[in-house]
Amino acid sequence: MPIKKDPDIKPSEITPKEVYCNRRQFMAASVSAAAATAFPTLLDAEQHGGTPLKIEKRTGYAGNEEQTSYKSAAGYNNFYEFSTNKEDVAELSKGFRTRPWTVSIEGLVKKVRVYDIDELIKMFPLEERIYRLRCVEGWSMVIPWVGFPLEGIIRMSEPDAKAKFVEFTTIHDQSQMPGQRREVLQWPYVEGLRLDEAVHPLTILSVGMYGEVLPNQNGAPLRLVVPWKYGFKSIKSIVKIRFTEQMPVSSWMKAGPLEYGFYANVNPEVDHPRWSQATERRIGEFFRRKTLMFNGYSGQVASLYAGMDLRKNF
Ligand code: MTE
């Protein structure tokens, strides 16, 4: 599917690879205070202590909105397998083992296979995508994710004509994930997308953020990022991708069918039964801002839902 131009993206935000590579060389040569002012994001990426990733292309998809600080993105996390307390997840997930790691592709596809994570990552050039992420709870962030379009894995797996949905599953390992010892959700965590949503060019599998390998608390080693849907669709630490004919039932649908729908598209006009979804608080800002339809990505994704009643299909 060809990607529609985001009216928010200024040509200046799309950095050609050569320029980016030269910048990186320059950064390596002279990390100075002057450079810090000139290239704050790049220097920022060098400073988090994680493993840097080789990025082939960088694109902004959040207009000129300011990026959330790394500290907030890596320190305020929803990852119920570790804790329901957002501030505790980073510490509790410190020792989580992300290698060896395999991802199983199964269900209605010709190429059923188990991939080693490093083998899988090497198959696709890495891109940086600066996306808004809005949580159903009413807070949001702007994060430079690093990953590749999910579409690549889907095409390579050759889905059958019958496949209509894709189901994703997180690792189930109580010995490493203390939150799984409590039944706050039905484990393992499951999410799903319709096949056309899954192959949409904005849908990515992320392996990093802020130029570095994904921290455990953000869903290492592989997580989904679907920028026009509430954050809970962006499932973390994926071990299984299954193609199905029937709509998958996600962990959140099981937990509260009247509160969490399959689509979970960001929609300021459809309230959560217990609170309004009209506004959100960007982490790092004081005042609330208006929530945008499809999180600001209407131009690219509204056509996927043409003719659907989004109050019923929430
Ligand atoms: N994936 C798993 N496996 N478990 C979770 O609890 N929480 C979801 C989503 N993915 C969650 C998950 C929710 S509610 C949100 S808002 C985002 O992850 C948060 O992602 P972040 O911590 O990288 O900001």
Side-chain angles (χ1 to χ4, degrees):
M1 196 187 302
I3 191 158
K4 271 202 196 160
K5 273 235 162 85
D6 184 335
D8 282 350
I9 304 173
K10 293 193 222 85
S12 60
E13 286 182 71
I14 303 173
T15 315
K17 188 184 159 196
E18 316 78 64
V19 176
Y20 171 57
C21 291
N22 288 340
R23 272 192 202 167
R24 281 194 85 89
Q25 282 158 11
F26 166 71
M27 292 302 296
S30 64
V31 178
S32 66
T37 329
F39 306 111
T41 350
L42 284 175
L43 187 62
D44 207 26
E46 313 284 335
Q47 286 184 330
H48 305 130
T51 310
L53 288 163
K54 187 169 170 279
I55 301 166
E56 304 287 334
K57 190 176 152 196
R58 321 179 95 216
T59 317
Y61 288 90
N64 50 15
E65 291 172 42
E66 213 176 296
Q67 269 179 38
T68 301
S69 72
Y70 177 89
K71 201 169 162 237
S72 298
Y76 188 80
N77 305 99
N78 267 338
F79 202 167
Y80 279 22
E81 284 86 339
F82 290 100
S83 173
T84 50
N85 186 344
K86 295 182 222 317
E87 273 100 7
D88 291 347
V89 175
E91 182 62 31
L92 287 169
S93 63
K94 254 187 186 158
F96 180 59
R97 290 186 299 275
T98 58
R99 294 293 187 284
W101 190 278
T102 56
V103 180
S104 162
I105 310 278
E106 23 185 287
L108 302 173
V109 279
K110 290 196 183 59
K111 306 225 165 112
V112 169
R113 227 195 111 169
V114 177
Y115 292 90
D116 174 77
I117 184 74
D118 294 312
E119 174 195 10
L120 196 66
I121 295 172
K122 271 193 216 123
M123 288 175 174
F124 305 97
L126 294 183
E127 292 180 41
E128 182 181 83
R129 304 274 188 103
I130 304 175
Y131 284 155
R132 303 176 195 96
L133 178 136
R134 189 203 189 278
C135 189
V136 74
E137 296 162 343
W139 50 266
S140 62
M141 301 196 194
V142 173
I143 298 179
W145 299 105
V146 181
F148 48 87
L150 171 63
E151 186 190 7
I153 287 188
I154 295 183
R155 301 256 176 251
M156 161 181 108
S157 308
E158 299 181 32
D160 298 350
K162 273 190 178 167
K164 298 280 181 296
F165 295 92
V166 189
E167 182 191 84
F168 305 84
T169 307
T170 295
I171 191 170
H172 194 184
D173 183 354
Q174 286 187 1
S175 68
Q176 292 201 75
M177 298 172 129
Q180 285 183 339
R181 290 174 216 147
R182 297 193 297 131
E183 285 177 23
V184 269
L185 283 176
Q186 200 166 310
W187 309 114
Y189 193 100
V190 169
E191 260 307 339
L193 293 175
R194 219 169 54 189
L195 192 55
D196 59 345
E197 297 176 322
V199 297
H200 191 282
L202 286 181
T203 305
I204 59 165
L205 282 171
S206 168
V207 297
M209 61 180 211
Y210 299 80
E212 297 176 359
V213 167
L214 213 51
N216 292 344
Q217 61 270 31
N218 293 89
L222 187 74
R223 75 168 294 166
L224 189 66
V225 179
V226 197
W228 71 97
K229 292 180 182 277
Y230 291 116
F232 66 87
K233 296 298 277 188
S234 293
I235 180 172
K236 298 175 169 181
S237 306
I238 297 167
V239 289
K240 188 160 72 180
I241 301 178
R242 196 164 72 92
F243 292 75
T244 66
E245 192 172 1
Q246 305 300 327
M247 181 185 281
V249 182
S250 71
S251 297
W252 285 105
M253 288 163 76
K254 280 186 191 152
L258 301 176
E259 303 199 0
Y260 307 103
F262 175 79
Y263 285 94
N265 290 320
V266 173
N267 188 340
E269 282 154 30
V270 177
D271 292 344
H272 182 280
R274 289 183 281 142
W275 58 81
S276 159
Q277 293 290 25
T279 64
E280 66 199 55
R281 194 176 75 80
R282 182 65 49 82
I283 298 294
E285 291 178 6
F286 181 72
F287 293 107
R288 293 182 76 83
R289 55 167 74 207
K290 280 190 176 162
T291 285
L292 302 172
M293 187 65 198
F294 296 115
N295 212 17
Y297 300 102
S298 291
Q300 294 101 314
V301 301
S303 61
L304 294 175
Y305 310 102
M308 281 175 70
D309 181 346
L310 297 180
R311 288 190 176 273
K312 281 195 191 133
N313 298 286
F314 59 90

